[in-house]
Amino acid sequence: SRAVNAFLPHELAFGAFLALTSARLIRAEGITGTHTLWFLGLLAASIAVVRLGERRARLVYYAVVVQALFYLIRPAVDAIHPLRADALLERLDLLLFGFNPNLALERFSSPLLSDALSLFYLFSFLPYLAFAFVAYYRGELEAFKRFCAGLFTVYALGFLGYTLWPAVGPYASMAERFRGPLEGGLLTIAHHAFVLRGTNGIDAFPSLHCALTAYALFFDRAHSPRRFRFMLAPAALLWVATVYLRYHYIVDVAAGFAVAGAGLWAARQPGLRRFSRSRSFCS
């Protein structure tokens, strides 16, 4: 039906991101460039998923796409412009505070604190998102579709930030200005090695660790209050950890919260109600 084929908020957001990045790649490497073809292919696939009109596929499709895009973005950005925005983000922090927050936090570092915050950084993000996604998937369609619409809008805006202002983060761009490596035990060392293996090298702005956990947390506040209360403190500690562990600038965190707000707005859009009432849903 016509209602089924109407674009949902996250589909519009991702479509705009893929179209804009494709256009930038066409200008940089031509329409037959490897990265151009990847992004054009993803754009075509996204449109095809909408046209099929099967709601469950449309809601879970981007759970796969975001994993692939996270690693496809880096070579695409290198093809568009190899410059990094770390110096700009650092200047913005300095403009806001009059000092560098990452350097200022170094005086409070200790092995115990580093290990504790590394634990929250690791387990308050992907495990939380995965658990919430599965919980909403197994629950009522109304909550699941709204969760997905907001969640993947957050991803789309976050990926757009990666391509416009690619930055690696203070741990690399400011390494020579710290007194030394972050004090920490085996957990901190193992966690940092895990982060280095998982990063795409341009994922500082905005902080999706902050954006996605803030989105999931405040969505849970309305739809799963018990999980909200359980995750409130771990999520807050994760937000502190992003700066303390030198992975993000303060402006990354602020931008992440703004992106989370956009996701919560997308999850409340009235067009989602028409989507849920379509008779073509396959359970």
Side-chain angles (χ1 to χ4, degrees):
S1 69
R2 185 176 181 180
V4 176
N5 291 328
F7 286 95
L8 301 178
H10 67 289
E11 293 167 337
L12 290 171
F14 253 106
F17 162 68
L18 291 170
L20 175 61
T21 307
S22 296
R24 296 172 72 197
L25 283 167
I26 290 172
R27 182 178 180 181
E29 63 178 18
I31 197 167
T32 60
T34 301
H35 308 106
T36 304
L37 293 176
W38 269 109
F39 275 79
L40 287 175
L42 286 171
L43 179 60
S46 300
I47 295 172
V49 168
V50 175
R51 298 306 301 170
L52 289 174
E54 204 286 294
R55 293 186 305 175
R56 189 177 296 274
R58 288 174 64 179
L59 293 174
V60 302
Y61 168 72
Y62 284 102
V64 177
V65 169
V66 296
Q67 303 304 319
L69 269 174
F70 182 79
Y71 293 103
L72 286 173
I73 285 175
R74 169 63 184 274
V77 167
D78 287 342
I80 295 169
H81 62 92
L83 299 178
R84 297 294 177 258
D86 287 273
L88 171 62
L89 299 176
E90 184 183 344
R91 286 197 300 272
L92 289 175
D93 269 6
L94 188 61
L95 180 65
L96 288 172
F97 296 97
F99 62 89
N100 187 298
N102 297 99
L103 293 175
L105 283 174
E106 188 173 24
R107 73 184 69 176
F108 302 106
S109 66
S110 71
L112 181 61
L113 181 59
S114 298
D115 279 357
L117 290 179
S118 293
L119 189 67
F120 283 109
Y121 189 92
L122 183 63
F123 289 104
S124 299
F125 180 56
L126 284 179
Y128 175 32
L129 289 182
F131 184 87
F133 185 88
V134 172
Y136 286 118
Y137 176 85
R138 297 178 63 182
E140 295 181 359
L141 175 64
E142 175 71 15
F144 181 54
K145 65 178 174 59
R146 292 187 180 277
F147 180 74
C148 288
L151 180 74
F152 297 124
T153 295
V154 170
Y155 267 111
L157 295 176
F159 288 171
L160 178 63
Y162 290 179
T163 63
L164 295 177
W165 298 283
V168 62
Y171 76 92
S173 67
M174 296 167 48
E176 73 285 352
R177 295 165 57 191
F178 292 106
R179 293 195 301 266
L182 185 68
E183 293 185 65
L186 291 177
L187 181 57
T188 300
I189 296 171
H191 170 255
H192 185 61
F194 176 80
V195 170
L196 291 181
R197 286 196 298 271
T199 182
N200 62 14
I202 57 167
D203 53 355
F205 183 89
S207 169
L208 279 183
H209 270 72
C210 293
L212 291 165
T213 53
Y215 169 76
L217 187 69
F218 288 100
F219 190 92
D220 277 348
R221 186 171 182 265
H223 297 274
S224 182
R226 185 176 180 180
R227 188 162 59 240
F228 167 80
R229 291 191 296 270
F230 180 79
M231 287 302 303
L232 180 58
L237 288 168
L238 180 151
W239 301 336
V240 173
T242 60
V243 180
Y244 172 89
L245 295 174
R246 307 174 180 175
Y247 296 131
H248 288 284
Y249 307 92
I250 292 289
V251 291
D252 302 340
V253 175
F257 290 146
V259 168
L264 291 168
W265 175 85
R268 293 194 297 266
Q269 294 313 294
L272 293 167
R273 189 175 300 278
R274 296 193 301 272
F275 175 78
S276 68
R277 290 176 176 173
S278 167
R279 291 181 296 175
S280 69
F281 175 67
C282 299
S283 57

